[in-house]
Every structure is written in C-alpha cells, then in structure tokens.
Amino acid sequence: MPFSLFKKVKKQKNPHPNCLCVFFFLLFIPLNLTISMAMLSLPSIQVCCLAEKRHKDSSTNSLKFKESNSRTTNYRKGSFHQERKPQKVNLEISPHRAVSAVRLMRIEFGGAFADLLNEKGKGSGDNEMGYVERTLGFCTRDLDDRDLRLVTDIVGGTIRWRKYLDYLILSLCHDPHVFDRMEPLLLQILRIGFYEIVKLESPSYAVVDENVKLAKIALRPGAGNMVNGIMRKLVLLKETNSLPSPQLEGDDRAQARALATLYSHPVWMVRRWTKYLGREEAVKLMVWNNNHPSFSLRANRGKGFTRSELVSRLETLKVPYELSPHLDDFVRISIGMQSVIQDGLLKEGLCSVQDESAGLVVSVVDPQPGDTIIDCCAAPGGKTLFMAACLNGKGMVTAIDINKGRLRILKETAKLQQLDDVITTVHDDLRTFPENNHEAYEKVLLDAPCSGLGVLSKRADLRWNRKSEDMEELKSLQDELLDAASMLVKPGGVLVYSTCSIDPEENEERVASFLLRHPEYNIDSVERYVSPEFLTEQGYYFSSPVKHSLDGAFAARLIRNS
C-alpha cells in the first residue's frame, strides 16, 4: 500500500494561472496503468511502500526543486507554451531524446512512474508522442525497439545519477546563478547529454550535436548555444580525465555529502546506511542501486502455465534467462523485457513481473490449498496473486486495500490470470476494518507501507521523493497497521509482517515493539520456508541487495497463542 495514501496532503493553489500553469497541468495528467504495465511494474509497485507524491512549492515565478538540486528555478516568460500549431514530423531530432526529456519532466514534476514504454511507444495511459508535441512544440516519429530501449536506459540512468550530473553541470557553469535560474527543460536536456557522455560513454560530439538541436528547437537558439558551450567543456574535461570530483575529506558530515554526490543519493540516506552498515557496505549498496536493474518473471500456475513453458517462450524470443535457485516458478532476465511485453506474455496473464524477494515473502506465509488468508495492504496485488495461485482453486484470499483504483487493477488482473474464484477484494482502511469485521483468518499478511529503501534499483525516482522525516511517520503507521492486523488472526494462526525496506527501524524494531504490546504472539522461525542464507539470527527472513542480488525485503512470521 503506498505510504502517501495514508497521509493528508494539502492542496496547493496557484493564484495566478498563466501559460506555465497550463503546461504543468498537462504534465500532471495522472497515468492510468494498463494491466500489462501494472504487472510489469510489480517489482516496484507491489511492495506497496512507495510515496507517489512530489513535494512541490509552487509560486508565480518559481518552483523549489528537491534535494537533488537544492535550488530554486525561475521560469523565463515564454519558455513554455500552452499549445502550438501542429507541425510535421521533425526528423532532425532524435525521437528518443525528445521523449526522454518530456518523460523526465513528467516524472520530476508530475508524479509519473519511471515505467517502461509499451510496444506502441506509449506511456501508461497516454501517448508520449502527444506529450512531445504539446510541450516541445513539434512532432516526432514513433519509437522503434531501439528507441524504446534508449528511452528506458536514459530516463532511468538520468534519474539515478541526477545529483552527480547536477554537480557536474554546476561545476561547468561560468556563474552559479546560471544554474540556479536554468529552465527545467534546459536542465533535463543537459542532464541527458551529460549522462550519455559520462555514464553511457556515447560518441561525445554526436551527443552534443543532437542535444544542441533539441534545445534550439524545443526552446530557442540561445538555449542551444548554452548547451553547446557547457557540453563541449564536459567533452574536453572527459577526454583529459579532468572531470571535477568532490573530495572525501573533513568531518563525517562533509564526507557523507561527498559520497552522496559521487554515488548520487540523498545525504540522509548515506548517513543512515553508514551508521547501520559501515561505509564500505553503504558504498556497495549505492553501486547496486545505480546499476541497471534485472527482473524476474513468475509463471502463473493458476492459469496452468508452467516455468518450463515460460522458458520455451523465452528461448523462442531469444531472451537470455536464468532459473531462480530459490523459487520453482521464477525465471530471471536482465535484458529482453520489451520482447516479453510485445509477445503478450503479460497481457495474456501467463506470467507476472515479480522480484524473487517478494516471492520469498509468500514462501514465509506458506499458503496451502484450503487456507483462508487475508492480505491487509494488497493492491496492486503481486503477493495476493501468487498466494492465490498456490491454493490450487481451494481456499480464499481476501485482499483489502485503501486505494479503490489499485484494488480494481488487482481484481481485473485476478480475472485475467483466472484466479478470481479464490480472490475477494475489499475496499477499506485496515486501521478501522477490524471494528466491523468479526471474521478471523488462518494466515494474515501485512505487507506494510515503508520507505522502499530495498527497491531503489528498480524505483530510480524513489530516492529523491523520500525524506528522512518520513521515517518517524512510517514507523507510527506500521505500528498502527500491525495492531489492526493482529486482531484478524485466529488463535493458533499466523501473522506475517513484511516490508521492502532494509532499515532495521522499520523491520526488527517494529516487530520487537509489537511483541511488547502483544504478548499473545511469539516468533516462528522462517527456517522451514526459506534457504538458510536468508535467515537472520532472530529467525526472520531478510534479503540483501548486495549479498543476494535481489531487492531488499524483510518478513517476520508470528504465531498467535491458541
């Protein structure tokens, strides 16, 4: 369940509507996830712990950036237009760069997920080409498979490395105020160019030329000249191995700031991980988060589709794969997701995208045919669907969620995967649900809203949306939800508390606090349900991104006294 849904967010008003406001209205159009894209996003969304809101502070002439920039941007009059006359397709501009620039704007300012494009070149719910025309003022051709891959790589990589890229851009501006006043679209174009040259190591002068063209046509000739000057400085410094770099010196705070810039993470995360893991492990974790993520596919046994059949389809598609060593239904892929999408495997409900770390949480629940199970924060339902598939048509999974829209996606996907006969959906707030519900369940899963610090490799944008202040609010919410979930367990039944966090304050400390409040519960070691490598000293399940090359996840299995 997304953390943001449990928070009261004040609606901000802009007192002076103008063309800029209309532009951002276009950017704020919500993205309605299609079924296939919902399932594609499961590794990142199903863990239900993502804060989808953006922290915006709008005024007539400025909008505060998040920590990645730590600056205020002033928008020049006429920088954006509400509408421009439709133009013919512009073949001078690289279509993937135009789409990437608009996608980055939507993600940073419009609350969009950094999801993959589908086979038609669309984002979730709206044609990305239309956004290019409305916001950049020209049409571009539809994206081919190569363009789709480039958009995915550039958008994800630019978001991950945003803090470091901004450091480089600021270093190469002749005046810091130039960076402070830079238009957001111009900044995105520079970020794209810097990422391509520094991290993708694309041919430098071709990248400069293409991004200069984009700036000139999307903004004005002067913007293109600025891109040209700044990026040529970058090329010269890179060729002479003279790129600026923050120095690891000074006190702990200063060194944390330098590490945060070098590995492009918020300072508070670096300090927190250094405290709990030590510097060496913290650096390894940041390196993992910045790598291109791999994905796992789960064959949907509820539809009679086996892993061997999934493997055959992947071999036909020539998608490299690796069998999961931990779960029988799972297959790992590092490339080829577009081929999987285009082949219809997700659309037909034959498989789902689900990280093995989430699958192992289901192993801890241990769903068996005939069980009555409740998934307390279910939508969009990755774990719900997996548990339902394990029932082999016997038993029931009740899925409760506070978000009606995401619950609807779960219901539609259950029907697609032929699991709707064993899944019942309930729209409610778990915190008040036990007051009106007197039924008890044999197994209760609380996959709680959390910081999501274990899934930053897949949710590139999440690191910039989470704040250190969120942690206290989250811990309080987790305690409330645990107390409510505990009321739904039969005597002798099982309560599983899980998160997609690697933070002990959200994991072990929450369980310890719960056990003090509820002496009727005891820890049941997960040693019978997962491999020893995932077993902690206290008998909990924990997957480490660095150690296991999976998303970070935690689960505690608790038994209620008879």
Side-chain angles (χ1 to χ4, degrees), residues 24 27-31 52 54 56 104-112:
F24 279 107
L27 292 180
F28 294 161
I29 296 174
L31 300 181
E52 298 168 0
R54 295 291 189 269
K56 298 182 285 290
L104 287 166
M105 293 290 289
R106 293 176 67 195
I107 290 167
E108 186 163 355
F109 299 110

mmCIF file with all atom_site columns, all heavy atoms in Angstrom, residues 24 27-31 52 54 56 104-112:
data_model
loop_
_atom_site.group_PDB
_atom_site.id
_atom_site.type_symbol
_atom_site.label_atom_id
_atom_site.label_alt_id
_atom_site.label_comp_id
_atom_site.label_asym_id
_atom_site.label_entity_id
_atom_site.label_seq_id
_atom_site.pdbx_PDB_ins_code
_atom_site.Cartn_x
_atom_site.Cartn_y
_atom_site.Cartn_z
_atom_site.occupancy
_atom_site.B_iso_or_equiv
_atom_site.pdbx_formal_charge
_atom_site.auth_seq_id
_atom_site.auth_comp_id
_atom_site.auth_asym_id
_atom_site.auth_atom_id
_atom_site.pdbx_PDB_model_num
ATOM 1   N N   . PHE A 1 24  ? 2.093  22.877 -16.823 1.00 0.00 ? 24  PHE A N   1
ATOM 2   C CA  . PHE A 1 24  ? 2.244  21.894 -15.758 1.00 0.00 ? 24  PHE A CA  1
ATOM 3   C C   . PHE A 1 24  ? 0.973  21.107 -15.539 1.00 0.00 ? 24  PHE A C   1
ATOM 4   O O   . PHE A 1 24  ? 1.021  19.973 -15.092 1.00 0.00 ? 24  PHE A O   1
ATOM 5   C CB  . PHE A 1 24  ? 2.701  22.577 -14.470 1.00 0.00 ? 24  PHE A CB  1
ATOM 6   C CG  . PHE A 1 24  ? 4.176  22.824 -14.467 1.00 0.00 ? 24  PHE A CG  1
ATOM 7   C CD1 . PHE A 1 24  ? 4.671  24.102 -14.639 1.00 0.00 ? 24  PHE A CD1 1
ATOM 8   C CD2 . PHE A 1 24  ? 5.063  21.780 -14.354 1.00 0.00 ? 24  PHE A CD2 1
ATOM 9   C CE1 . PHE A 1 24  ? 6.028  24.316 -14.675 1.00 0.00 ? 24  PHE A CE1 1
ATOM 10  C CE2 . PHE A 1 24  ? 6.411  21.979 -14.390 1.00 0.00 ? 24  PHE A CE2 1
ATOM 11  C CZ  . PHE A 1 24  ? 6.904  23.266 -14.551 1.00 0.00 ? 24  PHE A CZ  1
ATOM 12  N N   . LEU A 1 27  ? 1.436  18.270 -17.593 1.00 0.00 ? 27  LEU A N   1
ATOM 13  C CA  . LEU A 1 27  ? 2.386  17.321 -17.017 1.00 0.00 ? 27  LEU A CA  1
ATOM 14  C C   . LEU A 1 27  ? 1.770  16.525 -15.890 1.00 0.00 ? 27  LEU A C   1
ATOM 15  O O   . LEU A 1 27  ? 2.156  15.396 -15.618 1.00 0.00 ? 27  LEU A O   1
ATOM 16  C CB  . LEU A 1 27  ? 3.620  18.064 -16.489 1.00 0.00 ? 27  LEU A CB  1
ATOM 17  C CG  . LEU A 1 27  ? 4.511  18.699 -17.543 1.00 0.00 ? 27  LEU A CG  1
ATOM 18  C CD1 . LEU A 1 27  ? 5.674  19.384 -16.865 1.00 0.00 ? 27  LEU A CD1 1
ATOM 19  C CD2 . LEU A 1 27  ? 4.995  17.692 -18.552 1.00 0.00 ? 27  LEU A CD2 1
ATOM 20  N N   . PHE A 1 28  ? 0.789  17.116 -15.187 1.00 0.00 ? 28  PHE A N   1
ATOM 21  C CA  . PHE A 1 28  ? 0.231  16.460 -14.014 1.00 0.00 ? 28  PHE A CA  1
ATOM 22  C C   . PHE A 1 28  ? -0.853 15.460 -14.352 1.00 0.00 ? 28  PHE A C   1
ATOM 23  O O   . PHE A 1 28  ? -1.436 14.869 -13.470 1.00 0.00 ? 28  PHE A O   1
ATOM 24  C CB  . PHE A 1 28  ? -0.364 17.504 -13.061 1.00 0.00 ? 28  PHE A CB  1
ATOM 25  C CG  . PHE A 1 28  ? 0.673  18.411 -12.457 1.00 0.00 ? 28  PHE A CG  1
ATOM 26  C CD1 . PHE A 1 28  ? 0.304  19.621 -11.901 1.00 0.00 ? 28  PHE A CD1 1
ATOM 27  C CD2 . PHE A 1 28  ? 2.007  18.054 -12.459 1.00 0.00 ? 28  PHE A CD2 1
ATOM 28  C CE1 . PHE A 1 28  ? 1.254  20.457 -11.350 1.00 0.00 ? 28  PHE A CE1 1
ATOM 29  C CE2 . PHE A 1 28  ? 2.948  18.881 -11.911 1.00 0.00 ? 28  PHE A CE2 1
ATOM 30  C CZ  . PHE A 1 28  ? 2.578  20.080 -11.359 1.00 0.00 ? 28  PHE A CZ  1
ATOM 31  N N   . ILE A 1 29  ? -1.195 15.287 -15.652 1.00 0.00 ? 29  ILE A N   1
ATOM 32  C CA  . ILE A 1 29  ? -2.230 14.323 -16.006 1.00 0.00 ? 29  ILE A CA  1
ATOM 33  C C   . ILE A 1 29  ? -1.862 12.965 -15.440 1.00 0.00 ? 29  ILE A C   1
ATOM 34  O O   . ILE A 1 29  ? -0.796 12.447 -15.716 1.00 0.00 ? 29  ILE A O   1
ATOM 35  C CB  . ILE A 1 29  ? -2.375 14.225 -17.540 1.00 0.00 ? 29  ILE A CB  1
ATOM 36  C CG1 . ILE A 1 29  ? -2.853 15.570 -18.097 1.00 0.00 ? 29  ILE A CG1 1
ATOM 37  C CG2 . ILE A 1 29  ? -3.359 13.119 -17.912 1.00 0.00 ? 29  ILE A CG2 1
ATOM 38  C CD1 . ILE A 1 29  ? -2.894 15.602 -19.611 1.00 0.00 ? 29  ILE A CD1 1
ATOM 39  N N   . PRO A 1 30  ? -2.669 12.372 -14.591 1.00 0.00 ? 30  PRO A N   1
ATOM 40  C CA  . PRO A 1 30  ? -2.301 11.094 -13.951 1.00 0.00 ? 30  PRO A CA  1
ATOM 41  C C   . PRO A 1 30  ? -2.184 9.985  -14.971 1.00 0.00 ? 30  PRO A C   1
ATOM 42  O O   . PRO A 1 30  ? -2.858 9.975  -15.993 1.00 0.00 ? 30  PRO A O   1
ATOM 43  C CB  . PRO A 1 30  ? -3.447 10.841 -12.961 1.00 0.00 ? 30  PRO A CB  1
ATOM 44  C CG  . PRO A 1 30  ? -4.563 11.702 -13.417 1.00 0.00 ? 30  PRO A CG  1
ATOM 45  C CD  . PRO A 1 30  ? -3.974 12.866 -14.163 1.00 0.00 ? 30  PRO A CD  1
ATOM 46  N N   . LEU A 1 31  ? -1.313 9.057  -14.660 1.00 0.00 ? 31  LEU A N   1
ATOM 47  C CA  . LEU A 1 31  ? -1.084 7.918  -15.539 1.00 0.00 ? 31  LEU A CA  1
ATOM 48  C C   . LEU A 1 31  ? -1.921 6.745  -15.057 1.00 0.00 ? 31  LEU A C   1
ATOM 49  O O   . LEU A 1 31  ? -1.774 6.280  -13.939 1.00 0.00 ? 31  LEU A O   1
ATOM 50  C CB  . LEU A 1 31  ? 0.401  7.528  -15.509 1.00 0.00 ? 31  LEU A CB  1
ATOM 51  C CG  . LEU A 1 31  ? 1.356  8.626  -15.962 1.00 0.00 ? 31  LEU A CG  1
ATOM 52  C CD1 . LEU A 1 31  ? 2.773  8.111  -15.903 1.00 0.00 ? 31  LEU A CD1 1
ATOM 53  C CD2 . LEU A 1 31  ? 1.013  9.095  -17.345 1.00 0.00 ? 31  LEU A CD2 1
ATOM 54  N N   . GLU A 1 52  ? 4.098  8.281  -3.668  1.00 0.00 ? 52  GLU A N   1
ATOM 55  C CA  . GLU A 1 52  ? 3.908  8.731  -5.036  1.00 0.00 ? 52  GLU A CA  1
ATOM 56  C C   . GLU A 1 52  ? 3.788  10.248 -5.138  1.00 0.00 ? 52  GLU A C   1
ATOM 57  O O   . GLU A 1 52  ? 3.784  10.784 -6.225  1.00 0.00 ? 52  GLU A O   1
ATOM 58  C CB  . GLU A 1 52  ? 2.652  8.091  -5.624  1.00 0.00 ? 52  GLU A CB  1
ATOM 59  C CG  . GLU A 1 52  ? 2.738  6.600  -5.700  1.00 0.00 ? 52  GLU A CG  1
ATOM 60  C CD  . GLU A 1 52  ? 1.416  5.961  -6.009  1.00 0.00 ? 52  GLU A CD  1
ATOM 61  O OE1 . GLU A 1 52  ? 0.430  6.703  -6.165  1.00 0.00 ? 52  GLU A OE1 1
ATOM 62  O OE2 . GLU A 1 52  ? 1.363  4.736  -6.085  1.00 0.00 ? 52  GLU A OE2 1
ATOM 63  N N   . ARG A 1 54  ? 4.849  14.173 -4.994  1.00 0.00 ? 54  ARG A N   1
ATOM 64  C CA  . ARG A 1 54  ? 6.024  15.006 -5.145  1.00 0.00 ? 54  ARG A CA  1
ATOM 65  C C   . ARG A 1 54  ? 5.868  16.192 -4.195  1.00 0.00 ? 54  ARG A C   1
ATOM 66  O O   . ARG A 1 54  ? 4.780  16.728 -4.027  1.00 0.00 ? 54  ARG A O   1
ATOM 67  C CB  . ARG A 1 54  ? 6.150  15.539 -6.579  1.00 0.00 ? 54  ARG A CB  1
ATOM 68  C CG  . ARG A 1 54  ? 6.393  14.430 -7.608  1.00 0.00 ? 54  ARG A CG  1
ATOM 69  C CD  . ARG A 1 54  ? 7.785  13.854 -7.414  1.00 0.00 ? 54  ARG A CD  1
ATOM 70  N NE  . ARG A 1 54  ? 8.106  12.970 -8.493  1.00 0.00 ? 54  ARG A NE  1
ATOM 71  C CZ  . ARG A 1 54  ? 7.854  11.673 -8.443  1.00 0.00 ? 54  ARG A CZ  1
ATOM 72  N NH1 . ARG A 1 54  ? 7.262  11.137 -7.421  1.00 0.00 ? 54  ARG A NH1 1
ATOM 73  N NH2 . ARG A 1 54  ? 8.213  10.909 -9.462  1.00 0.00 ? 54  ARG A NH2 1
ATOM 74  N N   . LYS A 1 56  ? 6.011  19.704 -3.784  1.00 0.00 ? 56  LYS A N   1
ATOM 75  C CA  . LYS A 1 56  ? 6.080  20.864 -4.657  1.00 0.00 ? 56  LYS A CA  1
ATOM 76  C C   . LYS A 1 56  ? 5.780  22.125 -3.857  1.00 0.00 ? 56  LYS A C   1
ATOM 77  O O   . LYS A 1 56  ? 4.950  22.134 -2.972  1.00 0.00 ? 56  LYS A O   1
ATOM 78  C CB  . LYS A 1 56  ? 5.078  20.737 -5.811  1.00 0.00 ? 56  LYS A CB  1
ATOM 79  C CG  . LYS A 1 56  ? 5.360  19.548 -6.710  1.00 0.00 ? 56  LYS A CG  1
ATOM 80  C CD  . LYS A 1 56  ? 4.384  19.479 -7.849  1.00 0.00 ? 56  LYS A CD  1
ATOM 81  C CE  . LYS A 1 56  ? 3.042  19.004 -7.405  1.00 0.00 ? 56  LYS A CE  1
ATOM 82  N NZ  . LYS A 1 56  ? 3.011  17.620 -7.024  1.00 0.00 ? 56  LYS A NZ  1
ATOM 83  N N   . LEU A 1 104 ? 11.201 12.804 -18.354 1.00 0.00 ? 104 LEU A N   1
ATOM 84  C CA  . LEU A 1 104 ? 11.878 13.282 -17.153 1.00 0.00 ? 104 LEU A CA  1
ATOM 85  C C   . LEU A 1 104 ? 11.135 14.452 -16.521 1.00 0.00 ? 104 LEU A C   1
ATOM 86  O O   . LEU A 1 104 ? 11.051 14.555 -15.296 1.00 0.00 ? 104 LEU A O   1
ATOM 87  C CB  . LEU A 1 104 ? 13.321 13.686 -17.489 1.00 0.00 ? 104 LEU A CB  1
ATOM 88  C CG  . LEU A 1 104 ? 14.274 12.519 -17.764 1.00 0.00 ? 104 LEU A CG  1
ATOM 89  C CD1 . LEU A 1 104 ? 15.554 13.010 -18.415 1.00 0.00 ? 104 LEU A CD1 1
ATOM 90  C CD2 . LEU A 1 104 ? 14.587 11.760 -16.482 1.00 0.00 ? 104 LEU A CD2 1
ATOM 91  N N   . MET A 1 105 ? 10.582 15.334 -17.357 1.00 0.00 ? 105 MET A N   1
ATOM 92  C CA  . MET A 1 105 ? 9.788  16.443 -16.825 1.00 0.00 ? 105 MET A CA  1
ATOM 93  C C   . MET A 1 105 ? 8.557  15.916 -16.098 1.00 0.00 ? 105 MET A C   1
ATOM 94  O O   . MET A 1 105 ? 8.203  16.375 -15.007 1.00 0.00 ? 105 MET A O   1
ATOM 95  C CB  . MET A 1 105 ? 9.359  17.366 -17.966 1.00 0.00 ? 105 MET A CB  1
ATOM 96  C CG  . MET A 1 105 ? 10.494 18.124 -18.630 1.00 0.00 ? 105 MET A CG  1
ATOM 97  S SD  . MET A 1 105 ? 11.208 19.400 -17.569 1.00 0.00 ? 105 MET A SD  1
ATOM 98  C CE  . MET A 1 105 ? 9.874  20.577 -17.585 1.00 0.00 ? 105 MET A CE  1
ATOM 99  N N   . ARG A 1 106 ? 7.900  14.945 -16.691 1.00 0.00 ? 106 ARG A N   1
ATOM 100 C CA  . ARG A 1 106 ? 6.681  14.391 -16.090 1.00 0.00 ? 106 ARG A CA  1
ATOM 101 C C   . ARG A 1 106 ? 6.996  13.688 -14.774 1.00 0.00 ? 106 ARG A C   1
ATOM 102 O O   . ARG A 1 106 ? 6.249  13.783 -13.802 1.00 0.00 ? 106 ARG A O   1
ATOM 103 C CB  . ARG A 1 106 ? 6.016  13.411 -17.055 1.00 0.00 ? 106 ARG A CB  1
ATOM 104 C CG  . ARG A 1 106 ? 5.450  14.066 -18.311 1.00 0.00 ? 106 ARG A CG  1
ATOM 105 C CD  . ARG A 1 106 ? 4.895  13.015 -19.243 1.00 0.00 ? 106 ARG A CD  1
ATOM 106 N NE  . ARG A 1 106 ? 3.716  12.372 -18.669 1.00 0.00 ? 106 ARG A NE  1
ATOM 107 C CZ  . ARG A 1 106 ? 3.212  11.229 -19.128 1.00 0.00 ? 106 ARG A CZ  1
ATOM 108 N NH1 . ARG A 1 106 ? 3.797  10.606 -20.133 1.00 0.00 ? 106 ARG A NH1 1
ATOM 109 N NH2 . ARG A 1 106 ? 2.143  10.716 -18.579 1.00 0.00 ? 106 ARG A NH2 1
ATOM 110 N N   . ILE A 1 107 ? 8.106  12.977 -14.742 1.00 0.00 ? 107 ILE A N   1
ATOM 111 C CA  . ILE A 1 107 ? 8.472  12.260 -13.525 1.00 0.00 ? 107 ILE A CA  1
ATOM 112 C C   . ILE A 1 107 ? 8.813  13.239 -12.409 1.00 0.00 ? 107 ILE A C   1
ATOM 113 O O   . ILE A 1 107 ? 8.365  13.092 -11.273 1.00 0.00 ? 107 ILE A O   1
ATOM 114 C CB  . ILE A 1 107 ? 9.660  11.315 -13.796 1.00 0.00 ? 107 ILE A CB  1
ATOM 115 C CG1 . ILE A 1 107 ? 9.217  10.154 -14.686 1.00 0.00 ? 107 ILE A CG1 1
ATOM 116 C CG2 . ILE A 1 107 ? 10.249 10.793 -12.493 1.00 0.00 ? 107 ILE A CG2 1
ATOM 117 C CD1 . ILE A 1 107 ? 10.354 9.366  -15.262 1.00 0.00 ? 107 ILE A CD1 1
ATOM 118 N N   . GLU A 1 108 ? 9.608  14.257 -12.726 1.00 0.00 ? 108 GLU A N   1
ATOM 119 C CA  . GLU A 1 108 ? 10.065 15.173 -11.683 1.00 0.00 ? 108 GLU A CA  1
ATOM 120 C C   . GLU A 1 108 ? 8.956  16.085 -11.183 1.00 0.00 ? 108 GLU A C   1
ATOM 121 O O   . GLU A 1 108 ? 8.898  16.414 -10.005 1.00 0.00 ? 108 GLU A O   1
ATOM 122 C CB  . GLU A 1 108 ? 11.230 16.014 -12.198 1.00 0.00 ? 108 GLU A CB  1
ATOM 123 C CG  . GLU A 1 108 ? 11.848 16.875 -11.108 1.00 0.00 ? 108 GLU A CG  1
ATOM 124 C CD  . GLU A 1 108 ? 13.229 17.382 -11.472 1.00 0.00 ? 108 GLU A CD  1
ATOM 125 O OE1 . GLU A 1 108 ? 13.757 17.000 -12.531 1.00 0.00 ? 108 GLU A OE1 1
ATOM 126 O OE2 . GLU A 1 108 ? 13.779 18.175 -10.693 1.00 0.00 ? 108 GLU A OE2 1
ATOM 127 N N   . PHE A 1 109 ? 8.059  16.490 -12.075 1.00 0.00 ? 109 PHE A N   1
ATOM 128 C CA  . PHE A 1 109 ? 7.057  17.476 -11.686 1.00 0.00 ? 109 PHE A CA  1
ATOM 129 C C   . PHE A 1 109 ? 5.634  16.953 -11.702 1.00 0.00 ? 109 PHE A C   1
ATOM 130 O O   . PHE A 1 109 ? 4.750  17.570 -11.126 1.00 0.00 ? 109 PHE A O   1
ATOM 131 C CB  . PHE A 1 109 ? 7.133  18.696 -12.604 1.00 0.00 ? 109 PHE A CB  1
ATOM 132 C CG  . PHE A 1 109 ? 8.456  19.394 -12.555 1.00 0.00 ? 109 PHE A CG  1
ATOM 133 C CD1 . PHE A 1 109 ? 9.310  19.350 -13.642 1.00 0.00 ? 109 PHE A CD1 1
ATOM 134 C CD2 . PHE A 1 109 ? 8.859  20.060 -11.422 1.00 0.00 ? 109 PHE A CD2 1
ATOM 135 C CE1 . PHE A 1 109 ? 10.535 19.976 -13.601 1.00 0.00 ? 109 PHE A CE1 1
ATOM 136 C CE2 . PHE A 1 109 ? 10.085 20.691 -11.366 1.00 0.00 ? 109 PHE A CE2 1
ATOM 137 C CZ  . PHE A 1 109 ? 10.929 20.657 -12.468 1.00 0.00 ? 109 PHE A CZ  1
ATOM 138 N N   . GLY A 1 110 ? 5.419  15.805 -12.352 1.00 0.00 ? 110 GLY A N   1
ATOM 139 C CA  . GLY A 1 110 ? 4.049  15.334 -12.490 1.00 0.00 ? 110 GLY A CA  1
ATOM 140 C C   . GLY A 1 110 ? 3.709  14.075 -11.752 1.00 0.00 ? 110 GLY A C   1
ATOM 141 O O   . GLY A 1 110 ? 2.618  13.567 -11.886 1.00 0.00 ? 110 GLY A O   1
ATOM 142 N N   . GLY A 1 111 ? 4.636  13.537 -10.970 1.00 0.00 ? 111 GLY A N   1
ATOM 143 C CA  . GLY A 1 111 ? 4.326  12.357 -10.182 1.00 0.00 ? 111 GLY A CA  1
ATOM 144 C C   . GLY A 1 111 ? 4.217  11.087 -10.987 1.00 0.00 ? 111 GLY A C   1
ATOM 145 O O   . GLY A 1 111 ? 3.606  10.118 -10.554 1.00 0.00 ? 111 GLY A O   1
ATOM 146 N N   . ALA A 1 112 ? 4.816  11.030 -12.179 1.00 0.00 ? 112 ALA A N   1
ATOM 147 C CA  . ALA A 1 112 ? 4.720  9.838  -13.020 1.00 0.00 ? 112 ALA A CA  1
ATOM 148 C C   . ALA A 1 112 ? 5.744  8.802  -12.578 1.00 0.00 ? 112 ALA A C   1
ATOM 149 O O   . ALA A 1 112 ? 6.803  9.128  -12.067 1.00 0.00 ? 112 ALA A O   1
ATOM 150 C CB  . ALA A 1 112 ? 4.961  10.200 -14.477 1.00 0.00 ? 112 ALA A CB  1
#
